[in-house]
Amino acid sequence: MTVPGAATPPAHTPLAALPVVVLDLETTGLDVRRDRAVQVGALALTGSVPEEGRRLEQILDPGIPISADSSAIHGLEDGHVAGAPSFAGFVPTLAEFLAGRVVVGQHVAFDLAVLRHEASRAGIAWQDPPSLDVSVLLGALEPTLPDLGLETVASRLGVTVHGRHSAMGDCQVAARVWAELLPRLRDAGVRTLGEARAFAARRDDLRLREAHAGWHAMPGETRPGAVPPPGAGLQVDGYAFQRRLDELMSAPPVFVSADAPLREAARQMVERRIGALLVGRPDGAPEGILTERDLLRATAAGTPDLDATPVRALMSTPVACMERDEMLYRALARMDRVGVRHLCVVDEAGAAAGMVSQRDLLRYRTRKAAVLGDAVATAADAAALARAYGNVTDLAAALVDEGLTGREVAGVVSSELRALTGRAAELAALAQEAAGRGAAPAPWCVLVLGSGGRGESLLGADQDNALIHAGTPTEDPWFAAMGAAMADMLDVAGVPRCKGGIMAASPQWRGTLQQWRERVEDWLRRGRPEDLLNVDIFFDLTAVTGDTDLARTLHGEAVALAARTPPFIGLLAQSVQGVTPRLGLFGRLPAEAGRVNLKRDGLLPLVSLARTLALRGGSTARATPDRLRDAARDGRLPASDAEGLVTLHGDLLECVLRQQLADVAEGIPPSSTVVMRTVPRAQRRRLVDGLKRLDGVIGELRAAVSG
């Protein structure tokens, strides 16, 4: 057999959700080639949280004498280990415990080297699990720290040392050190397994010392296990990630009065060949839903009088609803979680626009359970959010393999980012109640801004969010605490804080509806540079949880006001002209360290152009392609230019996404910089042509917005 077994976590797994085993060995001596293990201690954790009952502590018979020097350290002598299991007999238990996990420890390369040589002597094929060394990570954080022994590392991180020089005692100390390291690594921008490995590699001097000590010597031909690339082995049905509910729903929905007899409802279902009716009036929110299963269950329980029993007696409430622009895969997951067969599809105003049934959607189910499902919606804490959101990179890679475009994948990533932000907000609100601050003092709504609001986020997005509430300014402290808790949870889950402070945790990004109205009016009236930066993301807002009517009201009013403020639109146009693509000779873009920043020289000017044209025409569209096409319909942009820029937008997202996936596999944090020589030549030519077109359109922007 080969141990450890099971696939190891991919490089993009968040450290906060990383399945780890903190490992320590006591040995007969310090020569990894000759000496043997006499005691093994191991603790299983998810992130920094110990898993209940998951610990391993075992004394082993090494088959050779324990040196006096070693006994003086760990207290184990030959008599203590006589009759204990051998390493060969213990391997299956150890392999099961390590399977699928990253080994964490102090000088963990020593422990793994001992195990590697033990396995070789026993004739067992060994594959090193991935590992992280707490001392090396701290050494990378603090390169001037002279000593990286466990006592020093623990003291530096405020960890008290108990039970030193027993396998389990050292494990427990290392586990506490690991827990203290995680927030410090996060502050340094190190959030994933791959990033932690790359960060630790900065201390190549420590690895050289380990190599000189023989800790990396490999018996036989066994080599360390490789981390699978993002998406490896994940199969999805791309259709479910490409289609939105308004493309599949039956419209208009069929309503029945709550006072109508059941016979009338049954007759409508039979005649229309449908399995459910909404209850209420077509011009309002549904009061309930009546399904064919409701009728069957009632009949099985003792046939009701179909003529005398009203629909309200059997209808179910509340009605499971999703907005019409939600993706099919999220609808499938919601049905599975809630246990329903019918969903009401609602428009932006919350009115019923159509219906979808499980029967309609079954043929579009994903293969091999690759859908993220409602893991985010059911997460109970930040660690669960991190585990769920950590799957997004795998999903993105699988969707690229399935043939989805960069824009389509960005839509899925944005959908998950919105869901994550919404769930973090809900948990943050619950945390205020648990802390004794009571329930929310007024209805509220959390917004995602920027690329997430537009549906154009790729990997590595940071927090861009805001909060509206229907209370008074005096109730802000409750919402301030909620915003701070939400920011903390998102940070742990893998969405770092916005360096510019664009978060509901900041006073200027939360407030009452009236405060927001005044804020927007102030931005539009003054038109200062910092106001333009705020507008850049504010008008992309999308509600993710709470009272979404607050968001609809604010966005509609703000867009209408902007359209009536030509001086502000003119300033916005000038700002776009200041970020035109920096095309050089032969259409080349400036490179730094061999990479081109396609956000600065492509996406930023294109998105800003589309937003400016949309605001001038009063369009409430958020997505860049929709804004460009609205501008063409409004006569402010030639149709050919609009479609050319839509193509450019897709190409830019595609190039950035593919580079991000390649970088993540190497432990490089995802960014918007691209190694252009890796882009196919035909696509490079198309990019240059598109950027030249963009440059020309921006040059004509002043005239386009002044009419």
Side-chain angles (χ1 to χ4, degrees):
M1 66 177 173
T2 300
V3 295
T8 54
H12 60 267
T13 305
L15 295 178
L18 188 68
V20 304
V21 167
V22 182
L23 178 72
D24 187 78
L25 304 182
E26 301 300 333
T27 60
T28 60
L30 298 178
D31 186 335
V32 297
R33 296 174 178 84
R34 182 183 65 83
D35 282 302
R36 314 288 176 85
V38 296
Q39 190 179 40
V40 176
L43 292 169
L45 287 74
T46 299
S48 61
V49 181
E51 297 179 9
E52 187 70 28
R54 294 278 290 158
R55 58 185 286 158
L56 191 63
E57 189 172 10
Q58 181 64 56
I59 290 177
L60 299 174
D61 184 347
I64 63 171
I66 303 172
S67 70
D69 288 343
S70 295
S71 291
I73 294 172
H74 52 60
L76 293 172
E77 299 178 348
D78 293 341
H80 295 127
V81 300
S86 66
F87 177 81
F90 176 63
V91 161
T93 300
L94 179 62
E96 181 182 357
F97 202 80
L98 297 181
R101 293 177 178 267
V102 174
V103 174
V104 169
Q106 166 76 6
H107 297 328
V108 70
F110 171 84
D111 299 306
L112 292 178
V114 171
L115 294 178
R116 190 184 314 129
H117 287 277
E118 286 270 32
S120 178
R121 282 188 291 269
I124 298 168
W126 178 268
Q127 188 176 54
D128 274 0
S131 61
L132 292 170
D133 193 310
V134 293
S135 62
V136 175
L137 288 169
L138 182 61
L141 283 168
E142 300 188 29
T144 60
L145 201 62
D147 175 23
L148 292 173
L150 186 56
E151 285 87 353
T152 303
V153 169
S155 175
R156 186 68 175 174
L157 294 171
V159 173
T160 304
V161 176
H162 295 293
R164 186 77 169 96
H165 297 308
S166 71
M168 184 53 67
D170 286 353
C171 261
Q172 291 171 332
V173 173
R176 293 195 294 272
V177 165
W178 168 250
E180 294 297 327
L181 265 176
L182 289 188
R184 295 194 58 181
L185 289 170
R186 194 161 58 246
D187 290 343
V190 180
R191 297 171 170 278
T192 68
L193 170 59
E195 290 168 9
R197 284 172 153 180
F199 188 68
R202 297 181 182 183
R203 293 304 305 265
D204 53 359
D205 58 318
L206 299 178
R207 186 173 176 83
L208 282 174
R209 290 183 204 172
E210 294 172 356
H212 290 152
W215 294 0
H216 296 289
M218 303 297 294
E221 297 300 317
T222 305
R223 64 176 182 84
V227 177
L234 184 64
Q235 293 183 324
V236 299
D237 174 8
Y239 189 95
F241 296 86
Q242 293 171 297
R243 296 294 181 265
R244 300 184 183 275
L245 289 182
D246 60 1
E247 300 176 61
L248 299 168
M249 68 184 186
S250 300
V254 181
F255 277 82
V256 66
S257 168
D259 296 321
L262 289 178
R263 188 177 300 280
E264 171 61 20
R267 183 187 63 77
Q268 287 204 50
M269 288 187 197
V270 171
E271 288 181 357
R272 296 173 182 267
R273 297 184 179 181
I274 56 177
L277 298 170
L278 292 177
V279 182
R281 295 171 54 86
D283 57 354
E287 300 172 28
I289 186 171
L290 181 73
T291 71
E292 57 189 357
R293 286 188 164 235
D294 293 331
L295 290 171
L296 286 171
R297 279 194 293 266
T299 302
T303 308
D305 186 334
L306 296 181
D307 293 307
T309 306
V311 166
R312 70 170 69 255
L314 291 186
M315 72 180 189
S316 300
T317 59
V319 181
C321 297
M322 296 187 82
E323 292 197 2
R324 60 191 307 157
D325 62 350
E326 280 281 12
M327 291 185 173
L328 169 57
Y329 81 95
R330 295 199 68 84
L332 291 168
R334 179 69 58 83
M335 285 182 171
D336 285 343
R337 178 171 69 89
V338 180
V340 299
R341 292 173 174 266
H342 300 85
L343 279 176
C344 174
V345 183
V346 297
D347 61 19
E348 284 196 350
M355 290 284 289
V356 292
S357 71
Q358 204 166 56
R359 185 182 300 154
D360 299 329
L361 305 181
L362 276 174
R363 59 196 175 100
Y364 303 126
R365 280 196 175 277
T366 54
R367 300 192 299 272
K368 297 187 179 178
V371 174
L372 294 182
D374 259 8
V376 169
T378 57
D381 53 32
L385 287 174
R387 286 193 295 274
Y389 193 62
N391 292 323
V392 168
T393 300
D394 267 342
L395 180 61
L399 292 174
V400 168
D401 290 343
E402 189 75 9
L404 270 68
T405 67
R407 185 181 296 119
E408 289 167 336
V409 176
V412 173
V413 173
S414 299
S415 182
E416 293 307 312
L417 176 63
R418 293 172 185 172
L420 180 78
T421 305
R423 184 56 180 162
E426 292 163 359
L427 292 174
L430 291 173
Q432 304 320 300
E433 295 187 54
R437 299 188 183 95
W444 53 268
C445 178
V446 165
L447 318 170
V448 165
L449 313 175
S451 61
R454 297 193 308 273
E456 296 165 9
S457 281
L458 294 176
L459 307 181
D462 61 4
Q463 295 182 40
D464 283 329
N465 56 65
L467 185 148
I468 316 170
H469 66 85
T472 66
T474 60
E475 291 163 334
D476 181 69
W478 193 97
F479 293 105
M482 174 187 166
M486 182 173 77
D488 289 343
M489 274 187 273
L490 288 172
D491 192 57
V492 170
V495 185
R497 288 177 170 82
C498 173
K499 292 184 174 69
I502 302 172
M503 301 174 290
S506 303
Q508 63 270 35
W509 290 100
R510 65 175 186 271
T512 67
L513 187 56
Q514 184 57 34
Q515 285 176 317
W516 274 106
R517 286 170 174 145
E518 294 169 357
R519 198 171 289 159
V520 173
E521 288 174 3
D522 200 36
W523 290 343
L524 299 180
R525 185 184 69 254
R526 293 183 307 184
R528 300 179 305 179
E530 58 266 37
D531 296 329
L532 296 178
L533 291 175
N534 291 334
V535 169
D536 271 350
I537 62 170
F538 168 78
F539 281 98
D540 300 338
L541 71 84
T542 294
V544 294
T545 191
D547 185 348
T548 56
D549 283 341
L550 292 170
R552 280 191 284 269
T553 299
L554 178 62
H555 188 254
E557 291 178 357
V559 169
L561 182 60
R564 298 194 305 270
T565 314
F568 175 79
I569 299 296
L571 289 172
L572 206 57
Q574 289 179 1
S575 73
V576 176
Q577 290 171 329
V579 292
T580 54
R582 297 172 295 176
L583 288 166
L585 194 61
F586 307 118
R588 290 179 179 170
L589 291 167
E592 185 175 344
R595 288 176 175 246
V596 169
N597 190 332
L598 287 186
K599 179 178 180 179
R600 163 60 185 84
D601 289 302
L603 287 169
L604 177 59
L606 178 53
V607 167
S608 298
L609 167 71
R611 184 187 297 114
T612 302
L613 291 172
L615 291 179
R616 178 62 183 90
S619 168
T620 57
R622 275 87 158 178
T624 298
D626 293 342
R627 285 170 165 172
L628 291 168
R629 288 173 175 141
D630 280 357
R633 282 192 293 270
D634 197 34
R636 299 189 176 275
L637 187 65
S640 59
D641 281 343
E643 290 308 316
L645 294 179
V646 167
T647 298
L648 171 63
H649 183 251
D651 283 340
L652 289 167
L653 290 174
E654 185 91 18
C655 289
V656 173
L657 173 63
R658 289 184 178 275
Q659 183 69 62
Q660 287 183 338
L661 291 172
D663 287 347
V664 167
E666 296 296 324
I668 301 171
S671 70
S672 297
T673 63
V674 173
V675 181
M676 291 303 290
R677 58 182 170 77
T678 65
V679 179
R681 183 172 299 177
Q683 192 172 27
R684 284 205 304 270
R685 284 199 299 267
R686 196 165 64 240
L687 273 176
V688 170
D689 290 343
L691 290 171
K692 288 178 178 177
R693 182 193 292 267
L694 173 61
D695 192 44
V697 173
I698 290 175
E700 300 169 357
L701 180 59
R702 186 186 299 275
V705 300
S706 62

